[in-house]
Amino acid sequence: MKAIRRFTVRTVLPEQLGALDELAANLRWSWHVPTQELFREIAPAVWESQGKDPIGVLGAVPPSRLAELAADEDYVRRVHAMRDDLRAYLEQPRWYQSLGDDTAKTIAYFSPEFGIAAALPQYSGGLGILAGDHLKAASDLGVPIVGVGLFYRAGYFRQAISRDGWQEESYPVLDPDGLPMRVLRHPDGTAAQVQLALPDGRTLSARIWQLAVGRVPLLLLDTDITENDEDLRGVTDRLYGGGGEHRLLQELLLGIGGARAVKTFTRLQGLPAAEVFHTNEGHAGFLGLERISDLVGEGLTFAEALQAVRAGTVFTTHTPVPAGIDRFDAALVERYFDTALLPGVDVADVLALGAEDYEGGTPNTFNMAVMGLRLAQRANGVSKLHGDVSRHMFGALWPGFDADDVPITSVTNGVHSPTWTDPKVWHLHGDFSEGAVSDAELWALRSRLRAQLVEDARRREAAAWAEENPGLSTPAWIQRLLDPDVLTIGFARRVPTYKRLTLMLTDPDRLRKLLTDPERPIQLVIAGKSHPADDEGKRLIQKLVEFSMEPEVRGRIVFLPNYDIGMAQLLYPGTDIWLNNPLRPLEACGTSGMKAALNGSLNLSILDGWWAEYFDEENGWAIPSADSAGDGAERDALEAASMYDLIEHQIAPRFYDRGADGVPTRWVANIRHTLQTLTPALSADRMVSEYVERLYLPAARAERAISASDYAAARDLAAWKARVRAAWPQVHVTHVESGGVDATPEVGETLEVRAYVSLGELKPDDVAVELVAGRAREDDALTEVSHRPLGWEATTNGADVYAGSIEFERAGAFGYTVRVVPRHPHLASSAELGLVATPVG
């Protein structure tokens, strides 16, 4: 029989162990090994069976065990010491507090998913894991972030693999009472809620759960409450579930409801109002409209409020392809905003923000990323290559500007080292020099990590077999699955087609040969989930599973179902090689290889995402991209052949080339180099500090400047932008002349340039006139460009004259032009308005 309802009954701890509740309630335990060890000591077997979840452990152990521990003075002392350590971590100043008073006091960080711990399955893949790592690093650095997301009752989904290799999804319902979270309440004890006005006079209500991620509060909105109609209770049922309207409701709740939740939370907690709002991908973009509505209520026009909101908003794009962006039918968006949802905001203004009203855009489409960019004064991609891809992908929003001038920068993702570094590696305290750890010790460590993965893979495969075949004994081959002494290659990620899960199967005979080589065999450990609606992705999984069950290779290749944080924390450290073979440049960053590198694994990857930035020929291998191939099949064949060649002729020989002591000296040198050079570079601490210094603090300063004196600067900027846009059609570069060099210029000479500009109704202070110079290609396009301001000299015959010079610093093809762009002290980029004038002809 099945229960009609399931809930968690929390244990009552003995008084001596009351501090365990405080430790379990703060998710710092998810990355703090000493706290984990304290809970594991309660009951090691229960700790493992409960997914290493402190609250699960406390609910599963018998009272007699708790009484026994309460009588253990040493354990009680350690519990209290750990609680004191947590309190000190939460209260003492950290890096951010050393930056002075000119910092943002509260930063709101919005994401549709957060991957923090296996016990809290509110993530589907890299975006959520990145968001969780962002919060953890912000906590460690003392950055005053408030995270905002949704609480999905069924999370993403639980994956199983059927007998025929097909992915099957189930949606276990989460019990909030069994999770480290509590409802945000008013002083009178009533639950705090947010409400959204919907069409047909309906209202969507959501309560606010709060979690403590170290020093960072995380707010999750939940619609499964009695105040909602039955269909609205399911708005937060599943992550990325449902159709277009369901997704729109989730994103309205995340953006508008999330912004309202932040206001409620900061007011109830006595915290400063948020100054900076960081939109992690376009899903939460509607938050900017909620803030505009507030400012319109304070007396600003929509255009004035837009300037104020833009100043304090940061937008991060994570997708390198238009197909990865949420887009809605404009009529659907109009239906939801032609209500009392946002008082004072006209639906036409909303639609204009998301309209694809540019060359190549689709009419009557509302684009969430486009809205995000238009609502944010600062935007970034998540690796250097992805920043470049994003500047090209969104370049139509800034017509007339070269891709390099599009105002989208990049902050390369990082990963939270304490979460993803195995404790065995972490205990080395970051010192990987030969003086601290010998080659033999480092190799022995890597061998233990590989054996740990093999043991975990066998356990998981046995559990999957038992679930699929109840009552049947576990086959002997599962107990022999994988070999702790064989070169182990890992591949785990979501399974969209561009990540090419089955590239390794392009030449099955070649792969079989590598797997079964009598002297230098390899083995593959693979995991990943396909979106429930992606049958093509499921077919890729099925194809791989079918291959793995062939008698010749069974035991050398395995697909592990239900990839999650718990699996990943053993998979990354246990692999010798981390494989990544997306279609370049469709991997925005790809942080899984970063996590493997933190544990001394070497990467074998297409030069995409972060690997294009950090590959140095000593930390792994680069698979050459066959960009010029005739079609996709040819490209796959060429890149797969390169991958096989690298494994067979470089990777496997280096791994199995052992000295008299059994240590592969050259391989260990690569491990040591990887740990020494990549550990600091790939850290989420580096990433978050970059966000602080390059984006958050400038946004905070801009927000304060534009909101001072009752938003006087916002009013001025809105009026100035309207005036400049109206007058820009009359702005022309009418003539450019140059001199000062011989007929054949030489290095060291100076070119004098004078430009005659017609400004129409604008004034010289409204514009910047620049000399744009660089190397000239055969088509006259400029590369390696520099911009030099030209100074105003005089007004002659109705034209404003600007002059300047440039010295020839190098030989070769040289070219230059002149451009006019708007100039205002509150612009973050000269391209912000998308207006530019250059010489005609």
Side-chain angles (χ1 to χ4, degrees), residues 372-717:
L373 289 165
R374 286 172 171 161
L375 283 170
Q377 196 172 39
R378 290 163 180 81
N380 69 284
V382 292
S383 69
K384 287 182 179 178
L385 178 58
H386 180 237
D388 181 64
V389 169
S390 298
R391 286 187 287 274
H392 284 84
M393 187 167 85
F394 294 110
L397 290 170
W398 293 272
F401 286 89
D402 293 339
D404 288 345
D405 293 322
V406 169
I408 301 175
T409 185
S410 64
V411 177
T412 302
N413 284 343
V415 296
H416 187 244
S417 301
T419 294
W420 299 111
T421 306
D422 189 277
K424 299 178 187 64
V425 180
W426 191 258
H427 288 327
L428 298 177
H429 304 292
D431 187 354
F432 307 109
S433 64
E434 292 186 51
V437 55
S438 68
D439 283 1
E441 290 170 327
L442 199 52
W443 179 242
L445 169 61
R446 292 291 312 149
S447 298
R448 288 196 299 273
L449 295 174
R450 191 185 316 109
Q452 177 179 267
L453 169 59
V454 169
E455 180 183 354
D456 185 64
R458 291 172 179 173
R459 180 186 62 79
R460 290 178 183 276
E461 195 68 3
W465 169 271
E467 184 173 338
E468 185 64 32
N469 303 275
L472 298 181
S473 59
T474 303
W477 69 266
I478 289 181
Q479 301 307 318
R480 298 190 300 271
L481 181 67
L482 305 178
D483 185 328
D485 295 320
V486 166
L487 170 61
T488 303
I489 301 176
F491 182 103
R493 51 192 39 84
R494 291 184 303 110
V495 191
T497 53
Y498 78 86
K499 290 182 183 283
R500 298 192 295 184
L501 171 70
T502 55
L503 185 70
M504 63 187 72
L505 297 182
T506 303
D507 185 343
D509 290 337
R510 186 90 185 265
L511 180 58
R512 289 188 191 96
K513 180 182 176 183
L514 292 171
L515 291 167
T516 59
D517 188 290
E519 296 181 359
R520 296 169 175 168
I522 70 167
Q523 58 192 11
L524 285 158
V525 185
I526 305 160
K529 294 180 176 180
S530 176
H531 188 280
D534 183 7
D535 283 349
E536 181 57 33
K538 293 179 185 180
R539 276 189 282 272
L540 296 179
I541 292 175
Q542 184 180 44
K543 183 179 180 181
L544 190 68
V545 171
E546 289 173 346
F547 179 84
S548 73
M549 298 308 294
E550 292 182 5
E552 186 180 359
V553 298
R554 190 169 66 184
R556 280 280 188 263
I557 177 172
V558 60
F559 182 91
L560 299 178
N562 207 39
Y563 181 43
D564 65 0
I565 288 176
M567 180 193 296
Q569 287 175 321
L570 296 178
L571 181 54
Y572 297 134
T575 54
D576 300 293
I577 290 289
W578 193 259
L579 175 63
N580 189 30
N581 46 234
L583 278 169
R584 188 180 193 271
L586 303 185
E587 184 83 276
C589 184
T591 57
S592 60
M594 293 180 168
K595 297 160 193 161
L598 291 184
N599 292 280
S601 300
L602 308 182
N603 274 265
L604 170 62
S605 177
I606 294 287
L607 283 170
D608 201 5
W610 77 276
W611 191 235
E613 214 167 306
Y614 286 102
F615 169 61
D616 67 3
E617 300 186 359
E618 290 295 319
N619 49 22
W621 289 264
I623 302 172
S625 295
D627 298 348
S628 59
D631 57 23
E634 182 185 1
R635 180 172 181 172
D636 286 353
L638 290 170
E639 294 182 1
S642 296
M643 176 181 68
Y644 297 139
D645 286 344
L646 286 169
I647 293 172
E648 180 177 1
H649 300 301
Q650 295 189 37
I651 295 172
R654 188 174 301 182
F655 180 86
Y656 287 107
D657 181 15
R658 311 289 170 86
D661 57 359
V663 175
T665 305
R666 183 75 176 87
W667 187 277
V668 171
N670 295 139
I671 293 173
R672 194 186 302 280
H673 173 80
T674 294
L675 292 170
Q676 288 177 321
T677 59
L678 291 184
T679 297
L682 303 183
S683 165
D685 284 2
R686 186 270 310 154
M687 173 187 71
V688 172
S689 64
E690 273 197 58
Y691 273 107
V692 167
E693 293 166 343
R694 294 176 48 207
L695 295 169
Y696 293 165
L697 296 188
R701 288 191 285 267
E703 195 280 335
R704 289 172 188 167
I706 211 161
S707 61
S709 303
D710 191 27
Y711 295 95
R715 300 175 199 272
D716 171 73
L717 183 58

Side-chain angles (χ1 to χ4, degrees), residues 12-198:
V12 177
L13 290 170
E15 182 180 353
Q16 299 93 323
L17 300 179
L20 286 174
D21 266 340
E22 189 173 335
L23 291 169
N26 191 301
L27 283 157
R28 187 184 75 146
W29 58 256
S30 68
W31 72 88
H32 192 247
V33 173
T35 304
Q36 294 173 14
E37 290 297 327
L38 201 64
F39 282 101
R40 182 183 183 279
E41 192 174 336
I42 295 174
V46 175
W47 171 254
E48 296 295 334
S49 68
Q50 292 295 318
K52 302 179 180 179
D53 171 19
I55 291 179
V57 169
L58 294 180
V61 295
S64 58
R65 175 55 178 161
L66 295 175
E68 179 183 345
L69 288 169
D72 184 337
E73 293 183 2
D74 179 66
Y75 186 80
V76 170
R77 178 187 58 76
R78 285 185 285 127
V79 167
H80 289 173
M82 198 67 68
R83 178 203 56 198
D84 294 343
D85 177 78
L86 173 62
R87 290 179 177 177
Y89 171 86
L90 299 177
E91 296 167 3
Q92 292 175 358
R94 305 187 76 81
W95 170 79
Y96 190 83
Q97 286 66 46
S98 72
L99 300 181
D101 295 331
D102 185 28
T103 56
K105 300 301 183 283
T106 303
I107 300 162
Y109 178 89
F110 288 67
S111 179
E113 50 177 301
F114 287 91
I116 297 168
L120 193 69
Q122 301 288 298
Y123 58 93
S124 71
L127 179 67
I129 299 298
L130 181 278
D133 282 7
H134 197 105
L135 298 193
K136 293 174 184 178
S139 174
D140 291 342
L141 295 170
V143 183
I145 278 179
V146 176
V148 187
L150 302 181
F151 176 66
Y152 306 97
R153 278 303 175 103
Y156 191 40
F157 65 87
R158 185 179 183 279
Q159 179 195 49
I161 303 299
S162 69
R163 294 184 183 182
D164 62 358
W166 193 253
Q167 172 180 292
E168 297 178 334
E169 301 94 22
S170 60
Y171 296 87
V173 176
L174 300 173
D175 176 17
D177 292 330
L179 299 170
M181 51 197 241
R182 56 191 174 90
V183 173
L184 179 66
R185 297 188 181 277
H186 293 288
D188 63 2
T190 59
Q193 293 186 0
V194 296
Q195 284 83 32
L196 275 67
L198 301 183

